[in-house]
Structure formats: C-alpha cells, structure tokens
Amino acid sequence: MQSETATDDSCPVDLTNCDREPIHILGAIQPIGFLLALTADWMIARASANTIDFLGLAPADLFGKPLQQVFSARAVHDLRNRAAMLRVSDAVERLFDCAIVDGGPAFDIALHFSNGQVVIEAEPASGEHGDASGMVRSMISRLDQCADFASFYREGARQVRALIGFDRVMVYRFAADGSGEVVAEAARSGIGKFMGLHYPASDIPAQARALYRRNLLRIITDVNATPVPILPERDEAGRPLDLSLSVLRSVSPIHIEYLKNMGVEASLSISIIVDGRLWGLFACHHYAPRRPSFERRSVAELFVQMFSMRLESRERQETVDYERRARDISDQLLGAVASDETLLKDLDWLGDILTHAIPADGVGVWLGGNHAFSGVTPPIEAFRRIVRALNGTAAGKVFATDHIGSLIPDAEAFASEAAGMLAIPISRSPRDYVVLFRKELIHSVRWGGDPHKPTAYGPNGPRLTPRESFAEWKELVEGRSRPFSSSEIRVAETLRATLIEVVLRLADEASTERQQASARQELLIAELNHRVRNILGLIRGLIRQSQPTGGDITNFVKVIDGRIHALARAHNQITDDHWGPAPIQALIDAEAAAFIDDGERIVTQGEPVLLNPNAYSTLALVLHELVTNSNKYGALSVKGGRVTLGWHRNPAGDLILEWRETGGPPVSPPTRKGFGTTIIDRSVPYDLGGAAKVDYDPSGVQAVFRVPARHLSDPQKGAGPRIIKYPRPAAGHPQAAPASILKGHDILLVEDSLIIALDAEDIATRLGAETVTTAATVQGALDSIDAARPSVAMLDINLGDQNSYPIADRLAELNIPFLFATGYGEQADPPIAHRGRPIVQKPYTLENVARALDRLVGDGG
C-alpha cells in the first residue's frame, strides 16, 4: 500500500495523497458473508478464506470443483438464470432467501461479472420479506408532497433513516470543485448535527467517486471487523480480483481510520446520480456495528434511485421555468426595441432588462472599443484588462466566473464592486461584450474540520492517515461573488441571440449588407444552437421518464396514463367514502364516463354491492382494460354496440361479475398477449384469490369474474355504544382542525408501519406537539415511557404478532391519556378494561386525529 503512494517525506501530508489507493482490488471481503469466483464454465477458481464457516468446506477443498458439486442443483439453476440477466456493464443481480445446499440455511446472494469471472457473494438470509414495491411507492409519494428542495432533501433523509435504522443519515451534495455540503440530515437526538457542514474534495478521493458511480451502494458493517482474504490472491496472470461491483468488499485502512476518527463504527452510502453525474450521496453513520439486511439495503438503493429521478425532474422543471421567464424577458427586449429604437441608447434601461433575467449588480458594454456602464461596475481600466483577458478565451462562448481574480491579477482591489462576472460575446473578433458583474459576497463556510490542516503520521504511514479533527471549523471567504448557475449561463446563451439583434440595431446603418448578413448568421447559429439543445433535452426527458421495453413510445405513455387514471378514479371513490368500502356501481360509472359520452351504452344489472379498497383498486384496472379494449376493438367501437355488465352473489356469498358485449364487430382471440390482457386474465385470481374466465366469442367478448366474499361488505352499521369512532370526512368537505391542540404536550406514537409512523409524526408536529416519540414494538414503547414519560399517546392496536394492550395497561397505571388507532374499523375489539377508549380509524388524517386528540386532551382522557 505504501509503495503505491510513496512520495518525498518533505511534502505536506493531506488526503489528496490517498487518491491513488487501489480500493477496488483490496483482495479481501467483510466477514458478514463469503465469496466465490467462478470461471466461465462455472468451476470454482477463488474463494474467501471463511467458506468453511458457511459451507463447511475450506477454500482448498473448493478449488477446481464445478459449482454443482458444492451447491444444490436448484441453486445452480437459479444462479445461472440470474447470470443470464447480466446484460449490461456494472450490472449486479440479486437472489434472496436461496438455500444453496439442500436442507441447509438460506442465503441472500449478489451476482456479477469481474474480468470474465462470475463472482458470487452470499450472506445469511434475514428471512424478512415485505412489500418492497408498496413501501417504495409510499415513500416516493411523500417525497412528491415536498414543496421545495430543502424539504425534499430532508424527507429523503428521514425515509432512509427510518428504513435502515442508522443513527445519522445525511444528504451530501457535491459542489463543482469536488467539495461537499450536508444539505439535509436525520439523526438520533443527542449526537450533534452535521447539517450545513462542508467537507473538502480530498475526503472522497477520485477513485472512490468513480466507484460510487459504478456501485451505487456501499456498506461497512463494523470498522473493527477483521477482513477475510480472497484466495488465491492473484490468478494465473498475476491479477488480483477486481471488486469494484462487490457487495462485501473490505474497507481501505485509510477509510477505516477516517471513520474511527469520527467515532463511526458502521456506515452506508448510496449514490445519487442525476443526469448521468454523481450529484451526491446518502451518507449514513452508526456509532455501533450494524448490518441492515441485504433485502432492506436493496429497497433503500431502489428508493434512492427513484429519489434521484425525482430530483432530476425537479431540477429540470426549475430550469425550464427559469429559462421560460428569461425567454419572455428576451421577447420583451426585442419587442420594446422594435417599437422604440431610442431605448437602445439608454443603458440603464437595457441593464435593468438584463438583470431581471440574470440577477447582477451592474452591466458593462464593450462595443467597438467603446464602453458604457450601468449599476455597480469595476473601474474602466480594470474593464479594459478584463476584455483583453476575455479575448484570450474560447471564441463565441459565454464565460462565467465567481472570482475575477482567476482571470486577471490584482482583482481584489475592486472586488467590493465586482468580484464575479458573466461575459456574453456579441460579435466576432475584435470581440464586443455585454458583461454582468456581481459584488463580493463575504461569507463563512462551516467545514467539518480544518480542510487545510496537514495530516500527521499515523498507523498507516505518511500520506495515508486522514485528519483526526472533525470539529466545526469556519473559514471566511472573500474575493468571490455568488456563482452563476448553469441555468443562468444557458439563459445568457439564449440572450446572446437577442443581444446580437440589439447590436445590429445599434451598429452604423451605413455598414455593408455583408456585415449585417454575417451578424445575422451568428444570430441564427446561436438561436439554432439553443433550439436544438432544448429539443434534445425534451426528447431525452421523455425517454428517461417513459423507458419502454419495446413498441411505440406514444402508445406506451398513453396506455400507462390511462391505467394510472383508472387507479386515480378508483382512489377518489375510496377516499370519498371514508377510505372504506365503495359501491361497484360508482366504479363502473366513473370508468364509463371517462370513455363514453352515452352512458346508456353500458347497461348495468345488479343489487348494490360494496367492494373493499383492495378489490376496488383491482377491479378498477380490470374494468379499465375491458372498457379500453371494447372502445378500441369491440362493441363500444361502433355505433349501436353495447355492453351488459351484471353481477350477483352466489350461495357462498362470492360476487359473480359478468361482462357481455353485443352489436360490435366480429371478435377473434388476440394474437399477442400484452400486459392489458394479463391484467384481465390474472388480476382477480392473483390479487384477490378469485377466478376469471374470458371468452372471445365471435359475436362479442364475454367475461366472468368471481370475487371472494371476504372482499365484499354490507352497508356499515353504527358503531357499538362504547366505542368512539372518528371516521375520515368525505372529500370536498374538510373540517378545520383545532389549532395547537398538542401545544406543550409530549406525545408517544406506537406504530409498526414505517410510512404510517412518519405520517402520524407529521400530523402530531402540525398539531403543535412539543416532542414526538415513535416506537414500533411493545417493549420499545415501554422503554420509552420509562425513559421519558409522555403526556398523551396514540397506540396502533395491531403491532404485527403483538398488540398494544400492555402499553395501554401501563399508560392507564400512570394516568396518561391515550387513544387507540386501527385499520380494522369496527372489527376492533379492545379488552373490557379499555373498551371505552377512543379509537381513530386509519388512515390518519389531520382532521380525524385532531378531533380525537382534542376530545382526549380536553376531557383529560
């Protein structure tokens, strides 16, 4: 290691000397699992030294053996199938809960290629299996509710911390110079705050950034763990195993020491990739060893990928909105000049127009060797030097800097008037410019330790020891302005075309047609460049958002849009009915209204039936596909065609739903089974445990569906006399929540669902709670009560394999008011001791929780 970084000992020592460390070929893994490397014909060529602990076989007993002699036939079959999916570079496939030896324990497995070898990494399976897609979907829906970037970052950190349970989760954003800033943080109380701290670029060396782009998730479970070597260390060509995509890759001694200096014993990072670049990281620290399950880590990685896409979309939308405003200003500029050319001689007016598009403190114009100023600008001699320096830059490009001192010497003398600038060239050589200036912005940067402090010699030798101090250190930054953003530079490129037109109007009218044609050509080139860039950006955005696997993109987007709207219509019906059962007739009416002007073309026959929310959403998709197909190809596609939709309940209480089309074109079975057909055929059997049969009769499609009785509901009856219910108010009739209900109160929330707990926490905070403590288990809640007694509590009745009644008993002993919450509605049946307690029906809303807590706190429980 030292030989690869050896330099003259007289050189200053800092982390930049560590950027040559080969962290991707450390030759070892973390001891939480084992590794096998296979040849192209699936013979074991390498193994981690700890295979005996997991497989009962030492590495020497594995070398040269076909994998099928070690793993079960089923495991090898599944792994080969996964390997076949590794179509793109840097791909990693995952396999959960795989019994690699018949009768043996299950493992979670990661699979990737490394220099032609198949690398298998396995760690003991956690056995936890949740609704990953539902969880991520709910997490993303919370992100979408954030109004600004600050709350978006903060919500992302909260979600990741709730998912993986680390003491601290930060959103860490890279600046253009490679330094980083903590822009959001979710942390356990009492461990200090890193929010707003900056860290130098050397804290994350170049080769680490390259790995973050290739391998999106990095876990270090215990900084004190002993790495497990990979045997043999080198292959027959003398090469170590490249672990760039490894899940279990061991840790650089430098990084271990870095974490120890911070007091961190476990860490996890997930890359945020925006527009193909490393935007930043979710950086997670824990002050004790911690190993989230492989499945939970995979969910976190998926969430962050979705977070990155949402972030890219938000940044793009912000840019689009800003550039649209700038184009409007540009149009106003040309329109004003067209009606009154005398405005061109008024530089204050022109400067005011430009600084509305791109905020600046002053504007300087250099035209044909002459100058004019508006606002706060540098002295004329400094302006001449700036123009000469600009003439040495690339031709025809906008130039921006927040530090004029990097362009000309002695710029600090006028930094208080102009420290940064954006120069827009408006002619060919000799060049003319419009230059926007910004004043010096003197500010303090809060660093996580002194970034300039040299590093002392340490256990890893000189140039290999990270700094030890992470105490906050402030640096006064002078001589710089607020930087010009990439959006502002693009706006300047757009304005350049307009300014060229303005310059043409300012130019001597005696100039030749050739000079005018040349300038107009530059205008067209600049405008064409802008238009092409916009078009390419739009196309790229559509592709990234749609990402079809094949077929027509327009049709793909249309189909997806229709399906989403079908779910939205179903969701509206459910929420309008207090998030409870909703009538099937309303579902049919909503779907018919979305496609058909004449409501009599779909005839319904059946008694009133209520569908529970899960069945309601499933049938919404099924009916959407049936109506869509009929509208395209079936009875509803022609005048006079009709659909009869009838339903009844069989002796078992199941709902029998019959769809019959008449009067349409001749029907033939589909030649290709698309996703819509799959929804019709399989949704009801798979999601609801029912049955579906579709008959493509030539006279019209006929389909019969059976929905089990457990998904149906009779009209709700009144609640029992001793249970107080607070149902969700109907949509369109919100009831104002009493203000500051929980002011001065410390509330305990007991809820085993991550997403629901976060919702409840938000609601309690909005109702003015002094502190909010959440717990997911009975023991966790009891410990929390003993540690810090709450003044009020809300308990979810069902906590997985437990209930919250022991917590209720403890709160009753302490005379602490509390209420229950449940998703079971009227089926909730508390024990006699608590049967008079208020019950809030899920899902939580501000209104129903507020009403319940107002009564509870008001009457003392």
Side-chain angles (χ1 to χ4, degrees), residues 362-675:
V363 177
V365 176
W366 184 271
L367 188 61
N370 298 313
H371 76 280
F373 288 141
S374 174
V376 181
T377 60
I380 177 56
E381 183 53 37
F383 191 30
R384 292 180 189 274
R385 292 164 54 207
I386 289 171
V387 170
R388 287 197 296 270
L390 286 172
N391 284 335
T393 63
K397 291 186 177 180
V398 171
F399 176 85
T401 178
D402 65 344
H403 182 42
I404 297 178
S406 64
L407 189 68
I408 63 172
D410 304 321
E412 63 274 6
F414 56 85
S416 58
E417 290 82 26
M421 69 176 190
L422 186 150
I424 307 173
I426 53 175
S427 69
R428 295 189 183 274
S429 181
R431 293 181 206 154
D432 298 320
Y433 297 93
V434 171
V435 184
L436 283 72
F437 294 102
R438 284 180 177 172
K439 293 180 181 179
E440 180 180 37
L441 178 65
I442 300 177
H443 63 288
S444 290
V445 175
R446 299 169 58 232
W447 294 93
D450 184 350
H452 309 300
K453 183 179 179 180
T455 306
Y457 284 68
N460 297 306
R463 293 149 187 82
L464 292 179
T465 304
R467 68 174 188 274
E468 296 180 2
S469 173
F470 287 88
E472 182 178 320
W473 185 85
K474 290 186 179 180
E475 178 183 25
L476 191 66
V477 177
E478 300 177 304
R480 293 182 179 271
S481 71
R482 182 170 63 84
F484 290 90
S485 69
S486 57
S487 295
E488 290 170 335
I489 294 173
R490 284 194 295 271
V491 167
E493 292 170 346
T494 301
L495 287 174
R496 179 171 177 250
T498 303
L499 290 171
I500 291 174
E501 180 70 17
V502 171
V503 169
L504 285 174
R505 293 173 184 262
L506 279 171
D508 186 0
E509 297 205 1
S511 62
T512 65
E513 185 65 26
R514 183 177 180 180
Q515 289 172 323
Q516 290 184 355
S518 175
R520 289 182 185 278
Q521 183 182 30
E522 191 164 334
L523 165 66
L524 293 174
I525 292 172
E527 182 64 18
L528 179 62
N529 183 43
H530 166 70
R531 299 295 181 188
V532 169
R533 184 162 43 250
N534 275 358
I535 291 171
L536 291 175
L538 176 60
I539 293 173
R540 184 176 182 278
L542 288 174
I543 292 173
R544 286 181 63 86
Q545 294 302 316
S546 302
Q547 295 185 0
T549 56
D552 178 56
I553 292 178
T554 303
N555 185 60
F556 172 83
V557 174
K558 183 178 179 181
V559 169
I560 291 298
D561 183 67
R563 289 168 180 161
I564 291 174
H565 276 77
L567 286 175
R569 289 189 291 270
H571 183 271
N572 286 341
Q573 293 295 331
I574 297 169
T575 53
D576 284 349
D577 207 1
H578 302 185
W579 201 263
I584 189 174
Q585 184 69 57
L587 174 60
I588 297 169
D589 292 345
E591 197 59 44
F595 286 87
I596 303 165
D597 295 333
D598 182 4
E600 295 183 358
R601 296 188 64 192
I602 297 182
V603 179
T604 57
Q605 301 172 349
E607 295 296 322
V609 173
L610 298 180
L611 295 172
N612 292 337
N614 186 41
Y616 204 89
S617 298
T618 298
L619 282 181
L621 279 178
V622 172
L623 286 175
H624 171 76
E625 295 301 329
L626 287 168
V627 173
T628 300
N629 289 344
S630 183
N631 202 42
K632 285 183 178 180
Y633 316 112
L636 299 180
S637 67
V638 297
K639 187 175 182 180
R642 178 169 294 191
V643 171
T644 301
L645 188 55
W647 62 88
H648 64 276
R649 298 182 72 158
N650 66 12
D654 299 341
L655 178 69
I656 306 300
L657 182 67
E658 300 180 1
W659 169 283
R660 298 184 184 276
E661 298 186 25
T662 57
V667 173
S668 59
T671 57
R672 183 182 65 86
K673 189 171 184 179
F675 183 58

Side-chain angles (χ1 to χ4, degrees), residues 50 52 137 188 205 258 331 333 398 549 551 556 776 787:
N50 62 347
I52 193 167
R137 187 165 54 249
R188 174 171 57 84
Y258 182 90
D331 293 341
L333 173 59
V398 171
T549 56
F556 172 83

Side-chain angles (χ1 to χ4, degrees), residues 809-824:
D809 294 339
R810 178 61 175 155
L811 292 171
E813 291 176 8
L814 298 173
N815 200 28
I816 296 173
F818 66 91
L819 53 81
F820 289 117
T822 181
Y824 290 121

